[in-house]
Amino acid sequence: ASLAPDNGGVGNCANSISSGSTCQPICNSGFTVSGLSYCSGGQFTSATCVGDPCNVVSTPTNGGKGNCANLLERETTCQPTCDEGYAVTGPHSCKGSSLFTAAACVACPPGTVSPALNTHTTCDAVICGANQRVRSNFCVACPAGTTKLAGDDASKDDTACACSKNHHLTDGKCLACVAGTTRPAGDVITGKDTTCSLATPPTQPLSASEANQMAEAKKTKAQMARDVMLAGISDIKAKGKATLLANAAIAGVKIQKVEFG
């Protein structure tokens, strides 16, 4: 008995054919018959229906041919490429009833990029360098007197630079501190106005001579204060006790207990 091939029909083949005879089956749209069906020695051999290849369309706009030929075999794919700044939607494919699906090259979103002759399906974010900020998905230089670490993603929201050390913020601009004043870095230019502070001069260690002079001056001042205090005490016993305590304090001696007879 003759049977219809897959994806085709019996054509002029009868239910039974004599040994040594041939007949011609037919194929569905998108398929081509491989030849004749025949009967030999009582055994029927049917022709097959082979899927037609796809005619590959021209290269995608803003792209290249890649590894694609003029024809694409059924149930296979090939990969076109895209130009710089574009990403490919996928491969060309030949599916089903020789249905050709073409890939396309689409522009990268703002703040992203791709290399030339690429097969990327997504674009890479542009990362700003040091002293750059994001403005409308572009990396632009920070204004004078401001700074910023590298790493801002240009595909995301705008960013702001900050004032450098010894600069303060006024009306969104970083201005240098006046002489003798200072301010740490970090004032964001989108923030409120700031001011500089008086600079504290570095402390220098005293020399031995300067330390002795300071100690003597301190001692003299303490003695003068002692004399003023003692002048107001009329009781001899109380005055003696006060004198002892004052002299001990000036000398740096700690007295635990004082007794008078």
Side-chain angles (χ1 to χ4, degrees):
S2 62
L3 298 174
D6 290 340
N7 300 303
V10 294
N12 64 7
C13 296
N15 287 335
S16 64
I17 61 174
S18 60
S19 182
S21 299
T22 62
C23 64
Q24 183 63 69
I26 59 174
C27 293
N28 298 336
S29 176
F31 294 84
T32 299
V33 67
S34 63
L36 297 172
S37 296
Y38 62 92
C39 181
S40 176
Q43 181 68 40
F44 180 78
T45 301
S46 176
T48 59
C49 290
V50 180
D52 296 334
C54 294
N55 291 318
V56 177
V57 296
S58 59
T59 57
T61 303
N62 301 305
K65 199 167 186 177
N67 64 5
C68 296
N70 291 331
L71 292 178
L72 184 60
E73 292 299 323
R74 182 184 172 86
E75 301 300 333
T76 62
T77 63
C78 68
Q79 185 62 65
T81 61
C82 290
D83 298 338
E84 181 178 358
Y86 291 83
V88 68
T89 57
H92 288 328
S93 65
C94 184
K95 300 284 186 181
S97 299
S98 302
L99 176 64
F100 178 74
T101 302
C105 293
V106 295
C108 290
T112 65
V113 71
S114 66
L117 299 177
N118 76 86
T119 57
H120 296 183
T121 55
T122 58
C123 299
D124 299 321
V126 175
I127 304 301
C128 299
N131 298 324
Q132 290 185 323
R133 57 176 172 163
V134 177
R135 184 66 74 231
S136 299
N137 300 118
F138 289 95
C139 294
V140 299
C142 288
T146 66
T147 185
K148 199 167 200 334
L149 295 176
D152 284 356
D153 186 337
S155 68
K156 297 183 179 179
D157 295 337
D158 287 357
T159 58
C161 301
C163 296
S164 305
K165 183 179 180 181
N166 294 331
H167 285 73
H168 68 99
L169 187 66
T170 298
D171 295 331
K173 296 181 179 179
C174 295
L175 305 178
C177 293
V178 300
T181 63
T182 185
R183 185 165 183 81
D187 290 339
V188 179
I189 59 176
T190 55
K192 296 180 180 179
D193 289 358
T194 58
T195 58
C196 301
S197 303
L198 289 174
T200 303
T203 303
Q204 299 293 333
L206 297 175
S207 65
S209 175
E210 291 173 332
N212 288 335
Q213 290 177 3
M214 183 174 290
E216 285 299 321
K218 186 176 180 181
K219 182 178 179 181
T220 300
K221 185 176 180 180
Q223 289 173 338
M224 292 174 63
R226 176 202 61 193
D227 294 342
V228 171
M229 178 193 68
L230 293 176
I233 302 175
S234 57
D235 184 91
I236 296 177
K237 187 175 181 180
K239 190 171 186 176
K241 182 177 180 181
T243 301
L244 178 62
L245 293 173
N247 288 339
I250 293 172
V253 178
K254 186 175 181 180
I255 297 177
Q256 299 293 335
K257 187 176 181 181
V258 178
E259 294 184 0
F260 291 92

